[in-house]
Amino acid sequence: MTITLDGAEMTAHITGEIDHHTAAFLRSGIDAAFVRQKPKTLILDFSGVTFMDSSGVGLALGRYKKTKETRCTLVLAGLNERDKRMMKLSGMQKMEGIEFR
Amino acid sequence: MKKVINDFKMNVAAKSVNESFCRAVMGAFAALCDPTVEELSDIRTAVSEAVTNCIVHGYREQTGRIYIDAALLEGNVLRIKIRDKGCGIEDVSAAMEPLFTTAGGERSGLGFTVMESFSDSLKVRSKPGKGTAVTLTKKITGKCDG
């Protein structure tokens, strides 16, 4: 995973597989940068993800709790149709402050 | 009872690092049936959820083993049983409700929902203090080699 900054927009470019094991590393990396950078928009870019189970949904929901606290917008980008379907099982598409791109 | 064409059994330590190993093995076994990319993804996802449940909910902070028993049945049906000897589930129907989780924090509570969505059938048997067994089936459209 790499993290890039563009003004007040922070993007976490996630690569590889997201499961319960790898989600722990992703979570700590994103959260540390989020606290340091205090972005107005946090983009989770899933375009480099080759596999995801519901741990990916948990990762997004967990970050949403953080972005909500600081009134930051959470953007879920680059999801394939299958992973988008999994995200939507959680009802995230109806939550205020989350955008799908 | 459908005839078993091919099968395998294995057990692994209930460690999160083995989640990818389990779905890779199951993917390799399913590949003998020439599944579509989507079917293969469905199988790998459902297995990943079941194995994660054993680690996160079955054994929690304890060590243990995960038992996997898979069979290719006549009619191109893959049957996968994933079992732990962990703490078990008090109320299986409540646990199968979408967004239900006892793990809190970063768990989405979608494990069983995803397993149901990505397989053709799902059975969950559990006894508190004894463990949980999940059996799922998936029809493969390809041709199995006997």
Side-chain angles (χ1 to χ4, degrees), chain B residues 65-124:
Chain B
R65 300 198 74 77
I66 300 167
Y67 302 85
I68 298 179
D69 181 344
L72 291 173
L73 308 176
E74 62 180 346
N76 289 359
V77 174
L78 183 62
R79 185 186 64 204
I80 305 162
K81 187 174 177 182
I82 297 175
R83 184 168 58 89
D84 67 63
K85 294 181 180 175
C87 67
I89 303 169
E90 289 284 345
D91 185 342
V92 171
S93 57
M96 291 182 76
E97 286 291 318
L99 308 178
F100 177 92
T101 183
T102 53
E106 297 283 329
R107 300 305 305 162
S108 65
L110 289 175
F112 283 126
T113 306
V114 170
M115 275 184 250
E116 273 184 321
S117 300
F118 293 127
S119 60
D120 297 330
S121 73
L122 174 70
K123 276 185 198 166
V124 182

Side-chain angles (χ1 to χ4, degrees), chain B:
Chain B
M1 284 282 277
K2 284 184 174 171
K3 190 180 155 194
V4 174
I5 295 168
N6 192 6
D7 71 291
F8 83 89
K9 288 182 184 186
M10 72 172 191
N11 70 81
V12 295
K15 292 173 183 273
S16 63
V17 72
N18 283 333
E19 290 158 4
S20 60
F21 174 72
C22 291
R23 59 178 183 266
V25 170
M26 194 57 68
F29 186 65
L32 297 172
C33 269
D34 194 21
T36 63
V37 171
E38 194 176 333
E39 285 165 350
L40 197 54
S41 294
D42 289 353
I43 292 160
R44 294 178 74 231
T45 305
V47 167
S48 197
E49 297 294 347
V51 169
T52 301
N53 269 2
C54 296
I55 297 164
V56 175
H57 301 290
Y59 292 116
R60 303 188 183 188
E61 302 303 316
Q62 297 171 339
T63 55
R65 300 198 74 77
I66 300 167
Y67 302 85
I68 298 179
D69 181 344
L72 291 173
L73 308 176
E74 62 180 346
N76 289 359
V77 174
L78 183 62
R79 185 186 64 204
I80 305 162
K81 187 174 177 182
I82 297 175
R83 184 168 58 89
D84 67 63
K85 294 181 180 175
C87 67
I89 303 169
E90 289 284 345
D91 185 342
V92 171
S93 57
M96 291 182 76
E97 286 291 318
L99 308 178
F100 177 92
T101 183
T102 53
E106 297 283 329
R107 300 305 305 162
S108 65
L110 289 175
F112 283 126
T113 306
V114 170
M115 275 184 250
E116 273 184 321
S117 300
F118 293 127
S119 60
D120 297 330
S121 73
L122 174 70
K123 276 185 198 166
V124 182
R125 287 189 181 170
S126 190
K127 275 190 183 172
K130 297 281 183 191
T132 301
V134 166
T135 306
L136 53 95
T137 63
K138 181 80 180 172
K139 169 98 173 158
I140 308 291
T141 52
K143 200 173 180 182
C144 294
D145 286 331

Side-chain angles (χ1 to χ4, degrees), chain A residues 26-98:
Chain A
L26 296 169
R27 183 165 67 235
S28 58
I30 296 166
D31 287 356
F34 184 77
V35 168
R36 213 167 40 239
Q37 306 297 345
K38 299 180 181 61
K40 289 284 176 205
T41 304
L42 170 62
I43 302 172
L44 300 182
D45 177 7
F46 292 89
S47 57
V49 171
T50 53
F51 170 86
M52 185 183 103
D53 65 14
S54 69
S55 304
V57 181
L59 180 75
L61 282 172
R63 306 298 62 73
Y64 176 59
K65 284 180 192 163
K66 309 261 179 204
T67 55
K68 211 172 148 191
E69 281 169 12
T70 59
R71 295 186 181 177
C72 167
T73 300
L74 177 65
V75 177
L76 306 181
L79 285 161
N80 63 34
E81 282 310 308
R82 168 196 181 76
D83 294 346
K84 202 179 278 181
R85 187 177 127 209
M86 210 183 316
M87 288 286 182
K88 288 184 175 177
L89 287 172
S90 69
M92 253 187 287
Q93 69 281 15
K94 295 173 194 158
M95 294 176 188
E96 201 179 324
I98 296 189

Side-chain angles (χ1 to χ4, degrees), chain A residues 2-3 11 13 15 18 23 25 36 50-51 62 64 93:
Chain A
T2 54
I3 290 178
T11 305
H13 305 270
T15 54
I18 308 177
F25 300 102
R36 213 167 40 239
T50 53
F51 170 86
Y64 176 59
Q93 69 281 15

